[in-house]
C-alpha cells in the first residue's frame, strides 16, 4: 500500500470512528437531561433510572469520543503536515473555540456524573444540559473547520502564498452553516434511531417494559422530529454544493454532461468511461429544480471539470444514494410514528412498529458515514478545494501503512469493547436501574 | 498579543503536567503498589481523580491547538520528525482514557477487569514516558531537516539517552505528584501514613532520575548544565525548588495536604521554568544549529490576535468552572457533607 493511500485510509478510519462516538456523545446528553427533567418534575423513579442508565452510556461515549478526537488533533499533523502548515493559522479559529467548548463539556460532565446527591438537584440537572449544549457547539465548530476545506475563505492565495489571513472570515465561510445544520440534525437522527431501536428490541423481548418504553419514547421523538427536518437541510446543502462545488454535485449525481432540465438520477451504476449511468431511474428536470430552483436551470456536469480535478464518481454516487435512501426510509418511519402518537395510539405498543424501529437501528449511522464519505470523497483531489491537492499535503515519512494497520486494529478493538460494554449495560438494566417493579419505599 | 498566546501555551503545558501528570501518576502508583494494598489505593485514587479526570486532559488539546494555529511550522516539524514517539504517546492516550472509563463503568465486574486494569496501568506509564521523550527531543538538537535516510530522519531524532532519561524523569514526576495529591484524599490515619511513606520514596526516585537526566545530557553533549545553572532566573528557580523540597520534607509527616500540593506544584513549575527559560523563545532546536522560535515562527498578526482573544474569552468560562469542580470534589471525605 502506498503512503498516500494509507494516510487517506487512516484519516478516513479515524474520522469514521470518531464521528459515531462524537455524535452519540453530543446527542445522548439531551435525552438524558429530558429524562432527568421528568424525574425532577414527576418524581417517577423510572425516569431517574433511565437517566442514570443513559448517563453511563454518555460517560463511555464521551471518553471514547474524547480520546479519538485527541488523536485526530495530532493526526492532522502526523499525516497532513503540509496542509496544516498553511491551513492551521487560517481555519484554526473554530478549533480554538472548540477547545473551550470541549473543556466546558468535560467539566460539566464531571459535575454531572459525580454530582448525584452532592450538589443542588437543579444545578445538577443544569450541568447535564451544559454537557449537551457545549457538545453541540464543539460539533458545530469542528464542522465549520471542515466546511472551510470545502469553501476556503478568509485569505488571499497569491503565487502560492497564503496572505491577508482573517480567521473570523475563514470560520464563517460560505459552507459552515449548511454543513453544520446538516451534520447536527444527522447526529440527532442517527442517535435517536439507534437508541430507540435498542429500547424497542428490549420491549419486544418483554424485558423491563416500563423502563424501556419511557426510554424508547424520548429517543424516538427526538429521532423522528430530526428525520423530518433533515430533507429540508439536505435541500439547503444541495443548493449550496451546486453553487460552490459543482464537481462534487456532479459526482454525487453521476451527472456527466452539463445540461438544462437535468434529470435526478436515482440508483444505477455509473459508467465513467462511457459517461453514462446504467439501470437508473431518471426524473426529468428534478435535479435542475433542486440545484437551482428552476426546472430549466443549468446544472454543471463532470465534463465542465478538467479530468485531473474530477472526484471519484462511483464512491461518491453510491454513498450519496445510500444516504438519501436511508434518510427517506427514516422519514417514512417517522411519519408512521407521528400517526401513532396522535391518531392511532394502539400502534405505539404494536409489535410491527417496534420491529420497524429495531430494523432502523443502524440506518442513521450508516447514512451518517455515507454522508461523510460524500463530503470528503466528493472534494477530492483537493484537500483545500481548488487550492491544495490532497496528494501534496501528505507527510514525507514512509511506512504509513504500518501506522494505518496499527490504528485500524486499535479502533476495531475499541469498537468491540464498547459494543460489549453497551450490551452489558443493557443486559443489566433489570438489576442495576429498573426499580419500577419494586414497591416504592416511602 | 503573542506573549498572551505564549503564556497560555506554557500554562497549558504546565497544567497538563500537573493535573494530567497526577492522573498518570495514579496509574503508575497502582502499578508499583504491593498486591495487598492495590484495591485500597485504586479506590482512593478513583474517588480523587474521577470527577476531574476528563478535564485534566483538555490541557493537552489546548496546547496542541495553540501550536497548530499560532505556530504551524513548529507543530508540523515536530509532527513529521517525531512521528513515531507521537504515535506511541497517542496509543497510550487512547488505551488509558478508554480503559479508565471501561473499568469504572462496566456494568458487570468480572474477568474483563483483568484486561482493563493492566491496560490502564501500563498505558499510564507509557504515555508520560513518550511525552518526556518528545519534549526532550524537541530541545536536544537531533532533529535533522536535511536527513535523507529513514533512521536519521525519523528515529535518531528522538532515540538517544537524553530523551530516554527525560522520559523516565517525567514518569517519576507523575508518580511524585500522584502520591502528594493522594495524601490529601485519604480518610484515615493508616492510609495517610502509607501514602506519606510512598511520597518520601518517590521524592528520592525523582531526585535520582533528575541526576540521570544530567548524566545523559553530559553523554549526549547537550548543554543542559549551562542552560539551567547558567542563567540567573533559571538558577533562582532551581534554588527555590530545592528550598521548597526541604520544607516539604519537614511537613510531610504533618497533616497539611494543601500545603504539600502547593509545594509539589511549585517545584514542578520551577523545573519546567528552568528547563524552558534559557532557550526561550526557541522551542525546537535543530541539528544544523538553527532553531524554531516562538517569536519568529508565529502566524500572521491577525491569527495570533484572534487566538489570544479566543483563549482569553475561553479562560473566563473555563477557569472558574474548573476551580469550582476541583473545590467540590477534592474536599476530604471526612469533612464533606454528603456521600
Amino acid at each position: 500500500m502506498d503512503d498516500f493511500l494509507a494516510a487517506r485510509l487512516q484519516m478516513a478510519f479515524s474520522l469514521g470512528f470518531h464521528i459515531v462516538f462524537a455524535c452519540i456523545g453530543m446527542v445522548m446528553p439531551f435525552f438524558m437531561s429530558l429524562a432527568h427533567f421528568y424525574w425532577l418534575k414527576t418524581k417517577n423513579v423510572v425516569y431517574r433510572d433511565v437517566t442514570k442508565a443513559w448517563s453511563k452510556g454518555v460517560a463511555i461515549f464521551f471518553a471514547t469520543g474524547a480520546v479519538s478526537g485527541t488523536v485526530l488533533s495530532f493526526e492532522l499533523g502526523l499525516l497532513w503536515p503540509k496542509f496544516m502548515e498553511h491551513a492551521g493559522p487560517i481555519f484554526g479559529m473554530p478549533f480554538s473555540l472548540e477547545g473551550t467548548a470541549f473543556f466546558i463539556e468535560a467539566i460539566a460532565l464531571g459535575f454531572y456524573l459525580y454530582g448525584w446527591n452532592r450538589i443542588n438537584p437543579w444545578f445538577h440537572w443544569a450541568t447535564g444540559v451544559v454537557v449537551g449544549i457545549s457538545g453541540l457547539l464543539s460539533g458545530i465548530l469542528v464542522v465549520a473547520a471542515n466546511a472551510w476545506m470545502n469553501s476556503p475563505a478568509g485569505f488571499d492565495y497569491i503565487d502560492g502564498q497564503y496572505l491577508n489571513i482573517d480567521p473570523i472570515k475563514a470560520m464563517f465561510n460560505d459552507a459552515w452553516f449548511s454543513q453544520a445544520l446538516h451534520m447536527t440534525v444527522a447526529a440527532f437522527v442517527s442517535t435517536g434511531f439507534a437508541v430507540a431501536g435498542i429500547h424497542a428490541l428490549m420491549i419486544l423481548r418483554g424485558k423491563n417494559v416500563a423502563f424501556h418504553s419511557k426510554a424508547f419514547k424520548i429517543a424516538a421523538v427526538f429521532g423522528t422530529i430530526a428525520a423530518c427536518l433533515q430533507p429540508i437541510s439536505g435541500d439547503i446543502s444541495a443548493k449550496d454544493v451546486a453553487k460552490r462545488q459543482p464537481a462534487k454535485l456532479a459526482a454525487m449525481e453521476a451527472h456527466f454532461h452539463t445540461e438544462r432540465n437535468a434529470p435526478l438520477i436515482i440508483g444505477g451504476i455509473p459508467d465513467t468511461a462511457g459517461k453514462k449511468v446504467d439501470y437508473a431511474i431518471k426524473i426529468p428536470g428534478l435535479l435542475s429544480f433542486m440545484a437551482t430552483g428552476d426546472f430549466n436551470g443549468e446544472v454543471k456536469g463532470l465534463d465542465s471539470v478538467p479530468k485531473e480535478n474530477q472526484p471519484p464518481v462511483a464512491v461518491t454516487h453510491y454513498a450519496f444514494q445510500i444516504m438519501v435512501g436511508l434518510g427517506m426510509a427514516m422519514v417514512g418511519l417517522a411519519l408512521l410514528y407521528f400517526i401513532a402518537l396522535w391518531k392511532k395510539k394502539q400502534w405505539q405498543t404494536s409489535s410491527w412498529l417496534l420491529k420497524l424501529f429495531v430494523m432502523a437501528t443502524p440506518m442513521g449511522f450508516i447514512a451518517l458515514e455515507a454522508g461523510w464519505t460524500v463530503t470528503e470523497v466528493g472534494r477530492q483531489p483537493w484537500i483545500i478545494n481548488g487550492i491544495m491537492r490532497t496528494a501534496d499535503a501528505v507527510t514525507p515519512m514512509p511506512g504509513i501503512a504500518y501506522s494505518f494497520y496499527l490504528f485500524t486494529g486499535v479502533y476495531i478493538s475499541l469498537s468491540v469493547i464498547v459494543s460489549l460494554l453497551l450490551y452489558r449495560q443493557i443486559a443489566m438494566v433489570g438489576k442495576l436501574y429498573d426499580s419500577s417493579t419494586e414497591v416504592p419505599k416511602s | 498579543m503573542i506573549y498572551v498566546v505564549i503564556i497560555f501555551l506554557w500554562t497549558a503545558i504546565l497544567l497538563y503536567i500537573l493535573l494530567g501528570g497526577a492522573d498518570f501518576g495514579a496509574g503508575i502508583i497502582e502499578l508499583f503498589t504491593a498486591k495487598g494494598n492495590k484495591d485500597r489505593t485504586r479506590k482512593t485514587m478513583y474517588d480523587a481523580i474521577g470527577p476531574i479526570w476528563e478535564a485534566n486532559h483538555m490541557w493537552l488539546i489546548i496546547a496542541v491547538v495553540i501550536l497548530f494555529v499560532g505556530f504551524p511550522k513548529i507543530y508540523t516539524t515536530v509532527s513529521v520528525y517525531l512521528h513515531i514517539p507521537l504515535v506511541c504517546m497517542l496509543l497510550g492516550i487512547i488505551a488509558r482514557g478508554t480503559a479508565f472509563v471501561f473499568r469504572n463503568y462496566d456494568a458487570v465486574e468480572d474477568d474483563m477487569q483483568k484486561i482493563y486494569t493492566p491496560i490502564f496501568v501500563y498505558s499510564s506509564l507509557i504515555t508520560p514516558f513518550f511525552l518526556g521523550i518528545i519534549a526532550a527531543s524537541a530541545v536536544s538538537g537531533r532533529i535533522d531537516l536535511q536527513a535523507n535516510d529513514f533512521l536519521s530522519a525519523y528515529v535518531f531524532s528522538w532515540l538517544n539517552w537524553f530523551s530516554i532519561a527525560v522520559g523516565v524523569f517525567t514518569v517519576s514526576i507523575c508518580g511524585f505528584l500522584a502520591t502528594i495529591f493522594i495524601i490529601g484524599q485519604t480518610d484515615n490515619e493508616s492510609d495517610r501514613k502509607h501514602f506519606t511513606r510512598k511520597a518520601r520514596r518517590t521524592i528520592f526516585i525523582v531526585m535520582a532520575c533528575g541526576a540521570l537526566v544530567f548524566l545523559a545530557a553530559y553523554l549526549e553533549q547537550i548543554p543542559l548544565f549551562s542552560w539551567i545553572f547558567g542563567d540567573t532566573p533559571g538558577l533562582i528557580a532551581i534554588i527555590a525548588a530545592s528550598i521548597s523540597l526541604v520544607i516539604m520534607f519537614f511537613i510531610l509527616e504533618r497533616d497539611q495536604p494543601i500545603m504539600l500540593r502547593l509545594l509539589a506544584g511549585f517545584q514542578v513549575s520551577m523545573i519546567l521554568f528552568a528547563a524552558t527559560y534559557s532557550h526561550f523563545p526557541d522551542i525546537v532546536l535543530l541539528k544544523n544549529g538553527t532553531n524554531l522560535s516562538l517569536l519568529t515562527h508565529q502566524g500572521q498578526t491577525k491569527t495570533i490576535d484572534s487566538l489570544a482573544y479566543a483563549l482569553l474569552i475561553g479562560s473566563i468560562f473555563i477557569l472558574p468552572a474548573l476551580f469550582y469542580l476541583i473545590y467540590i470534589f477534592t474536599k476530604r471525605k471526612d469533612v464533606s457533607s454528603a456521600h
Side-chain angles (χ1 to χ4, degrees):
Chain A
M1 189 186 302
D2 74 7
D3 289 317
F4 178 48
L5 181 66
R8 283 189 63 192
L9 285 176
Q10 184 179 329
M11 201 65 193
F13 261 66
S14 307
L15 273 165
F17 178 86
H18 175 70
I19 208 169
V20 171
F21 289 85
C23 282
I24 300 176
M26 181 163 118
V27 172
M28 279 290 283
F30 288 99
F31 299 177
M32 176 187 88
S33 298
L34 188 62
H36 194 164
F37 178 81
Y38 285 139
W39 150 243
L40 291 174
K41 274 280 163 210
T42 65
K43 294 290 162 202
N44 180 342
V45 286
V46 180
Y47 283 117
R48 185 200 58 198
D49 296 334
V50 171
T51 311
K52 286 203 169 174
W54 275 349
S55 74
K56 297 282 163 68
V58 168
I60 292 168
F61 282 102
F62 180 85
T64 320
V67 290
S68 52
T70 310
V71 171
L72 278 169
S73 67
F74 281 94
E75 274 181 334
L76 285 171
L78 291 174
L79 300 174
W80 314 106
K82 304 230 169 73
F83 164 66
M84 286 308 282
E85 195 174 324
H86 300 293
I90 311 174
F91 83 156
M93 192 65 190
F95 281 115
S96 11
L97 295 174
E98 194 259 350
T100 302
F102 199 23
F103 213 132
I104 289 169
E105 193 181 354
I107 294 171
L109 192 69
F111 275 114
Y112 191 81
L113 292 176
Y114 296 85
W116 290 94
N117 305 325
R118 289 187 74 162
I119 48 179
N120 172 295
W122 282 103
F123 176 68
H124 182 223
W125 173 77
T127 59
V129 178
V130 172
V131 173
I133 293 173
S134 48
L136 213 55
L137 275 177
S138 47
I140 291 171
L141 288 163
V142 168
V143 174
N146 173 266
W148 178 85
M149 295 163 69
N150 287 319
S151 177
F155 66 102
D156 296 321
Y157 186 64
I158 301 162
D159 297 334
Q161 302 252 41
Y162 298 73
L163 304 171
N164 305 321
I165 292 176
D166 185 341
I168 308 286
K169 253 191 205 154
M171 178 161 74
F172 294 113
N173 58 72
D174 291 341
W176 88 270
F177 177 74
S178 62
Q179 262 194 245
L181 179 71
H182 201 57
M183 185 72 227
T184 309
V185 178
F188 275 94
V189 179
S190 48
T191 311
F193 275 88
V195 175
I198 290 169
H199 291 292
L201 183 66
M202 291 294 128
I203 300 169
L204 284 171
R205 290 195 179 162
K207 282 186 183 156
N208 315 98
V209 172
F211 175 97
H212 287 297
S213 302
K214 293 230 174 341
F216 169 78
K217 195 165 178 181
I218 292 174
V221 168
F222 267 106
T224 49
I225 292 175
C228 293
L229 295 176
Q230 191 64 314
I232 304 171
S233 106
D235 183 57
I236 298 173
S237 292
K239 289 197 167 56
D240 241 29
V241 171
K243 212 164 47 192
R244 256 193 351 263
Q245 291 176 281
K248 183 188 274 185
L249 185 82
M252 281 154 69
E253 275 296 322
H255 181 62
F256 288 101
H257 307 282
T258 304
E259 59 187 323
R260 292 185 175 277
N261 193 20
L264 184 73
I265 300 171
I266 299 172
I269 300 169
D271 171 7
T272 319
K275 298 190 191 260
K276 58 187 171 48
V277 187
D278 301 323
Y279 316 111
I281 303 166
K282 293 184 182 172
I283 306 172
L286 195 56
L287 181 62
S288 285
F289 181 71
M290 283 169 73
T292 64
D294 172 10
F295 281 101
N296 219 10
E298 188 187 76
V299 181
K300 289 216 160 74
L302 284 164
D303 56 2
S304 66
V305 183
K307 190 129 184 57
E308 69 276 12
N309 291 350
Q310 289 180 9
V313 180
V315 176
T316 320
H317 178 68
Y318 291 133
F320 181 63
Q321 302 295 316
I322 291 170
M323 177 184 79
V324 174
L326 291 174
M328 286 303 154
M330 288 184 284
V331 171
L333 183 51
L335 293 176
L336 284 177
Y337 187 63
F338 288 132
I339 297 172
L341 280 180
W342 282 301
K343 292 277 176 216
K344 307 255 186 196
K345 299 229 187 273
Q346 71 276 19
W347 285 10
Q348 283 182 47
T349 47
S350 62
S351 67
W352 65 268
L353 187 67
L354 291 170
K355 275 182 190 152
L356 285 178
F357 268 98
V358 174
M359 275 162 29
T361 309
M363 279 187 191
F365 282 109
I366 299 173
L368 189 83
E369 298 286 6
W372 194 250
T373 308
V374 172
T375 320
E376 296 298 285
V377 177
R379 192 190 54 242
Q380 300 308 320
W382 303 104
I383 191 165
I384 308 174
N385 192 37
I387 307 265
M388 184 190 275
R389 281 172 185 276
T390 315
D392 296 332
V394 73
T395 179
M397 185 171 125
I400 297 298
Y402 297 103
S403 149
F404 164 64
Y405 299 137
L406 193 67
F407 278 96
T408 305
V410 168
Y411 286 134
I412 290 174
S413 24
L414 273 183
S415 308
V416 171
I417 300 180
V418 170
S419 312
L420 175 80
L421 282 171
L422 272 194
Y423 173 78
R424 282 153 62 121
Q425 289 284 350
I426 294 158
M428 291 294 281
V429 160
K431 254 196 187 144
L432 292 177
Y433 311 110
D434 193 358
S435 41
S436 57
T437 46
E438 288 171 18
V439 184
K441 279 173 196 143
S442 54
Chain B
M1 288 313 250
I2 182 68
Y3 284 97
V4 173
V5 174
I6 292 173
I7 289 169
F8 267 99
L9 176 65
W10 196 84
T11 314
I13 293 171
L14 175 69
L15 288 174
Y16 185 60
I17 298 174
L18 288 179
L19 300 169
D23 272 9
F24 290 128
I28 298 167
I29 294 301
E30 190 177 324
L31 181 65
F32 292 110
T33 296
K35 231 185 185 148
N37 290 323
K38 251 190 182 136
D39 282 346
R40 207 173 47 176
T41 306
R42 181 185 307 162
K43 205 186 158 315
T44 316
M45 291 282 186
Y46 172 71
D47 287 345
I49 65 174
I52 46 172
W53 160 266
E54 295 289 1
N56 288 345
H57 290 265
M58 294 299 151
W59 295 110
L60 178 66
I61 303 205
I62 302 282
V64 170
V65 170
I66 293 176
L67 274 182
F68 77 58
V69 177
F71 312 95
K73 182 79 195 154
I74 293 169
Y75 169 81
T76 52
T77 306
V78 169
S79 299
V80 170
Y81 291 92
L82 302 179
H83 189 116
I84 296 168
L86 276 166
V87 165
C88 295
M89 182 188 77
L90 285 179
L91 291 175
I93 287 176
I94 300 178
R96 205 181 122 69
T98 49
F100 178 83
V101 173
F102 293 167
R103 81 169 177 175
N104 292 307
Y105 283 94
D106 197 343
V108 190
E109 259 199 42
D110 59 5
D111 284 352
M112 282 301 283
Q113 294 289 337
K114 286 189 189 151
I115 301 177
Y116 307 141
T117 297
I119 294 180
F120 174 72
V121 293
Y122 284 105
S123 53
S124 295
L125 189 75
I126 287 168
T127 314
F129 176 64
F130 280 102
L131 193 70
I133 286 193
I134 292 160
S137 307
V139 295
S140 60
R142 295 291 191 272
I143 294 177
D144 183 1
L145 302 190
Q146 278 81 40
N148 41 24
D149 65 300
F150 184 82
L151 285 178
S152 33
Y154 304 110
V155 176
F156 299 140
S157 53
W158 56 275
L159 195 64
N160 59 65
W161 290 116
F162 177 65
S163 296
I164 292 171
V166 173
V168 173
F169 182 60
T170 313
V171 171
S172 71
I173 286 206
C174 293
F176 162 67
L177 286 168
T179 46
I180 295 294
F181 180 72
I182 203 175
I183 292 177
Q185 295 303 121
T186 51
D187 47 10
N188 64 61
E189 189 60 23
S190 84
D191 273 2
R192 196 169 70 82
K193 282 222 167 94
H194 170 75
F195 288 117
T196 306
R197 264 200 309 277
K198 248 187 183 1
R200 183 166 312 124
R201 227 172 293 154
T202 53
I203 292 174
F204 284 114
I205 294 172
V206 170
M207 294 199 305
C209 294
L212 275 181
V213 171
F214 279 99
L215 182 68
Y218 174 76
L219 285 177
E220 298 281 351
Q221 296 173 329
I222 288 160
L224 182 67
F225 205 81
S226 67
W227 280 350
I228 290 190
F229 300 104
D231 266 309
T232 321
L235 196 60
I236 293 171
I238 290 300
I239 292 171
S242 310
I243 293 172
S244 80
L245 191 66
V246 175
I247 299 173
M248 183 180 243
F249 248 99
F250 277 107
I251 65 162
L252 205 52
E253 296 291 329
R254 297 183 209 158
D255 190 15
Q256 290 190 323
I258 303 292
M259 194 62 200
L260 282 176
R261 281 180 196 176
L262 288 176
L263 285 172
F266 176 74
Q267 285 152 16
V268 175
S269 324
M270 287 301 112
I271 293 172
L272 186 67
F273 177 80
T276 51
Y277 180 81
S278 57
H279 51 77
F280 176 83
D282 296 336
I283 181 168
V284 177
L285 311 186
L286 301 169
K287 193 164 189 175
N288 61 11
T290 60
N291 300 326
L292 298 182
S293 147
L294 287 169
L295 293 178
T296 48
H297 291 83
Q298 54 171 296
Q300 294 175 24
T301 320
K302 227 169 172 177
T303 302
I304 294 294
D305 286 355
S306 34
L307 178 61
Y309 282 117
L311 290 167
L312 286 169
I313 294 167
S315 57
I316 293 172
F317 290 102
I318 292 168
L319 294 178
L322 187 64
F323 282 127
Y324 189 52
L325 179 75
I326 294 175
Y327 168 75
I328 285 202
F329 287 105
T330 57
K331 282 188 285 188
R332 274 202 183 187
K333 269 215 188 126
D334 51 4
V335 291
S336 68
S337 51
H339 285 257

